[in-house]
Amino acid sequence: MSGGLIALLDDVAALARLAAASVDDVAAGAAKAGAKAAGVVIDDAAVTPQYVSGVDPSRELPMIRRIFWGSLRNKLLIILPALLLISAFIPGIIPVILLLGGTYLCYEGAEKVWHKVRGHAEAADAPAPDRGPEAEAKVTRGAITTDFILSCEIMVIALNEVAVESLWVRAFILVVVAIIITVAVYGAVALIVKMDDIGLHLTKRDAPATQRTGHLLVAAMPKVLTVITVVGTIAMLWVGGHILLQASYDLGWHLPYDLVHKLESPVAEIPAIGGALAWLINTLCSAILGILWGSGVMVLVQAVRRVLPFGKKKSTTH
């Protein structure tokens, strides 16, 4: 019994040493993975405020709290174990998963662009301010479902960036990325949705300067939300296109990636600004690929919806 206990303590100590030795690797890997997933994170932060639009202000933060815990639970209890198993036993399908995820991002981004160009208002699934707790619960579940898809993308991108690390280090990094990104996204969302309330509170203060600040916040919030939505759409196309380039390269089709690299090369060596110019070219090419690929997928999806009975919207009578 004592021998088993000593062996167990030795194993625990070894794990502790591994964790301590891996702190720097985890921090660096988490920063790298988080940066690559930034585009999806921006879109996640842009989408969520729509789900509490029109809700009683007293219910905004409780709803965001529930979505936050649902998102964190999805990342840590479902997505993380699944990805670790995949990376350990069938790592060859990670580029395929990335390709599918990049296609989804391009499709979503292209759909938003074309809806805007055609002047179609995007349907708001969320606002249910006067329909009681059942409607609120339904809206929250919808937000968590949407977040699940985006969370999958974030975690797959993060995993791909640290694929060369050991299994334990990958696990630590993904846990860190999941927690930091979820806290950052929903902390920002909470601040965004309450900013107009903060501004309204400031307008009631005695100091004229404070009142002006409050009026400025109230007036600015619709514009801020618009900017976030636009940036999120651009980020989806850019990140989706870049994922397609990298995933196709990893799957053996090098032409698109090599073509973009050749376009970068002439400016990459320019002193001081070469790196920035090369990044801009890569980003522009990725975004163009994203809108083209996403538009093609959108056309295909719409055609399939017209053919399949369950893809057609039912007419309603009032």
Side-chain angles (χ1 to χ4, degrees):
M1 178 69 71
S2 62
L5 177 59
I6 291 172
L8 176 61
L9 292 176
D10 284 343
D11 290 341
V12 171
L15 286 174
R17 286 194 297 271
L18 173 63
S22 302
V23 167
D24 289 342
D25 291 339
V26 170
K32 180 182 179 183
K36 283 291 185 180
V40 191
V41 172
I42 292 171
D43 187 68
D44 203 358
V47 167
T48 306
Q50 300 171 15
Y51 285 91
V52 295
S53 175
V55 173
D56 187 313
S58 66
R59 300 303 306 156
E60 290 174 343
L61 292 182
M63 288 181 69
I64 292 171
R65 190 181 304 117
R66 289 172 63 186
I67 298 169
F68 165 82
W69 286 114
S71 174
L72 193 60
R73 186 168 56 247
N74 285 340
K75 288 184 180 77
L76 295 181
L77 301 184
I78 300 175
I79 301 171
L80 174 59
L83 289 182
L84 288 177
L85 287 173
I86 288 172
S87 67
F89 296 106
I90 43 176
I93 73 167
I94 291 178
V96 177
I97 296 174
L98 281 170
L99 190 66
L100 294 174
T103 297
Y104 171 79
L105 289 176
C106 293
Y107 165 73
E108 285 290 307
E111 191 173 44
K112 289 181 179 181
V113 169
W114 287 113
H115 280 185
K116 187 68 175 178
V117 169
R118 294 170 181 172
H120 294 173
E122 293 189 47
D125 298 325
D130 301 317
R131 287 182 260 167
E134 291 185 4
E136 182 179 306
K138 182 179 179 181
V139 168
T140 303
R141 287 194 298 270
I144 293 173
T145 300
T146 300
D147 178 273
F148 181 83
I149 298 171
L150 295 173
S151 292
C152 285
E153 278 305 294
I154 291 169
M155 298 294 278
V156 171
I157 293 170
L159 175 64
N160 191 58
E161 289 302 307
V162 295
V164 297
E165 304 290 347
S166 68
L167 180 63
W168 282 108
V169 173
R170 289 200 300 273
F172 283 135
I173 289 174
L174 291 181
V175 168
V176 171
V177 168
I179 293 173
I180 291 178
I181 284 181
T182 307
V183 170
V185 166
Y186 289 99
V189 168
L191 182 61
I192 289 169
V193 300
K194 299 307 291 184
M195 192 63 72
D196 53 351
D197 292 337
I198 295 172
L200 187 61
H201 176 73
L202 293 178
T203 62
K204 298 176 182 179
R205 303 294 291 270
D206 295 332
T210 304
Q211 292 179 1
R212 285 194 297 271
T213 301
H215 287 299
L216 180 63
L217 287 175
V218 172
M221 284 317 298
K223 298 180 178 64
V224 170
L225 289 173
T226 299
V227 169
I228 291 174
T229 301
V230 171
V231 171
T233 301
I234 295 172
M236 290 182 83
L237 293 171
W238 157 48
V239 174
H242 185 76
I243 291 173
L244 291 177
L245 288 173
Q246 185 63 56
S248 62
Y249 185 90
D250 292 341
L251 290 170
W253 189 33
H254 297 175
L255 179 62
Y257 186 96
D258 289 342
L259 178 59
V260 173
H261 183 68
K262 287 180 180 179
L263 293 174
E264 292 178 37
S265 298
V267 301
E269 303 301 323
I270 298 176
I273 61 171
L277 290 176
W279 180 86
L280 286 174
I281 290 174
N282 186 289
T283 299
L284 179 61
C285 291
S286 298
I288 292 172
L289 174 62
I291 188 67
L292 293 176
W293 184 261
S295 298
V297 173
M298 188 177 70
V299 171
L300 179 62
V301 169
Q302 290 176 346
V304 171
R305 283 176 175 171
R306 292 191 189 99
V307 174
L308 298 179
F310 55 79
K312 299 176 181 179
K313 293 183 179 179
K314 295 180 180 180
S315 59
T316 57
T317 57
H318 298 280

